[in-house]
Amino acid sequence: MVTKSKTLQLVFLNGDDKKVKLDLPDAADHLTSVEVKTAMKTIAEADAFAKDGVDVYKIPQSASYVERVVTNLFDDSAGNSKRATTVQAHN
């Protein structure tokens, strides 16, 4: 079984000039660079997020769509949880 997901990843500099990522897994996947940059500027200018007195999202740096593909080889977790517990107990 193959599972695909797409996340919009926003990268900002915080008040200490360190990179901070904001991942948005349910974001629309057709946004333009202008739309995303405008939204990031709005987030930064809101000054609504701080941690330990440091602005978390101070300066927009970049934005990317990150795609992830997971291919499961097997998954025994559904019907065999009792057996897995027994095996672990003997190890």
Side-chain angles (χ1 to χ4, degrees), residues 59-73:
I59 302 170
Q61 289 293 292
S62 65
S64 304
Y65 281 111
V66 178
E67 295 184 51
R68 181 174 181 230
V69 177
V70 176
T71 304
N72 290 325
L73 299 177

Side-chain angles (χ1 to χ4, degrees), residues 9-28:
Q9 186 176 80
L10 310 179
V11 179
F12 294 84
L13 288 181
N14 69 9
D16 288 337
D17 291 329
K18 294 181 181 175
K19 286 187 179 182
V20 178
K21 294 178 184 176
L22 176 61
D23 291 335
L24 305 170
D26 296 321

Side-chain angles (χ1 to χ4, degrees), residues 1-14:
M1 176 185 211
V2 175
T3 305
K4 295 180 182 183
S5 63
K6 190 179 228 182
T7 300
L8 177 60
Q9 186 176 80
L10 310 179
V11 179
F12 294 84
L13 288 181
N14 69 9

Side-chain angles (χ1 to χ4, degrees), residues 76-91:
D76 289 341
S77 63
N80 299 322
S81 60
K82 185 182 260 188
R83 182 172 180 212
T85 303
T86 304
V87 171
Q88 289 176 0
H90 293 307
N91 288 333

